[in-house]
Amino acid sequence: MLFSTKAEYGVRLMVELGRRAGDGLPDEADPVALSSVAEAEILPLSYLEHLVAKLRQAELVTSVRGAHGGYRLARPASQIQMLDVVQALEGPIAPMECFHEVREGRVLCSHEADGDRACATRLLWTRVHGGITKALAGTTLADLVEFADQHAVREPVAG
């Protein structure tokens, strides 16, 4: 299953906001201008504006107006699951077009409506969906921020 650049760039945006928020509460963090995220991550500003609107609608980020305005996380990074981020940007996760998740985690296959037989591949796509969902739900923004900080390229210290 391939996610689009919406998920890729949106997650990178969230990681950058998480890195700049530090360990404090989100309300205490300075708002981050999207232009600085675009520059740091080498991403198109106009695309980030589109993505941040979706993240704001999903209540994952908040905006601050004014000369020193920008965006910041709506809650601590440890409380933001990547499942919420990806679904806010991509919509429902479905490994196949015929796959539809309904309430209480039940899965329907549109092919089953074609006749009275169960879809032969439903078990496979249900397991794929479950694996992806579990991985995303089990990964927080704090996990990604920590990983990014540990693997950041550091400038050598002149001595």
Side-chain angles (χ1 to χ4, degrees):
M1 170 173 200
L2 291 177
F3 292 107
S4 73
T5 56
K6 289 179 198 174
E8 178 191 354
Y9 292 3
V11 169
R12 288 171 59 188
L13 165 64
M14 292 294 287
V15 169
E16 191 64 21
L17 292 178
R19 290 179 83 182
R20 294 183 187 203
D23 295 330
L25 296 172
D27 288 345
E28 297 171 354
D30 290 333
V32 178
L34 277 187
S35 59
S36 69
V37 174
E39 184 178 318
E41 289 293 317
I42 312 168
L43 297 172
L45 178 59
S46 60
Y47 198 38
L48 289 182
E49 289 169 345
H50 172 73
L51 297 178
V52 80
K54 289 180 176 230
L55 294 168
R56 200 168 143 240
Q57 186 177 22
E59 299 180 351
L60 295 169
V61 300
T62 59
S63 62
V64 177
R65 295 181 182 263
H68 300 287
Y71 294 89
R72 58 183 168 209
L73 301 177
R75 54 186 187 260
S78 61
Q79 295 177 15
I80 298 175
Q81 294 180 345
M82 288 298 98
L83 179 62
D84 296 330
V85 175
V86 171
Q87 286 181 326
L89 298 165
E90 297 276 358
I93 295 170
M96 299 294 288
E97 285 186 27
C98 60
F99 189 92
H100 305 281
E101 186 177 16
V102 293
R103 65 188 182 288
E104 292 112 32
R106 288 187 49 234
V107 174
L108 297 178
C109 174
S110 59
H111 296 299
E112 291 176 337
D114 296 341
D116 58 348
R117 294 182 8 187
C119 178
T121 61
R122 179 175 163 189
L123 174 63
L124 172 64
W125 302 127
T126 300
R127 287 180 177 173
V128 169
H129 175 267
I132 293 168
T133 301
K134 184 177 179 182
L136 290 171
T139 306
T140 66
L141 180 57
D143 296 332
L144 298 184
V145 168
E146 181 181 345
F147 181 85
D149 286 345
Q150 288 176 353
H151 294 86
V153 177
R154 290 180 173 61
E155 296 294 322
V157 177

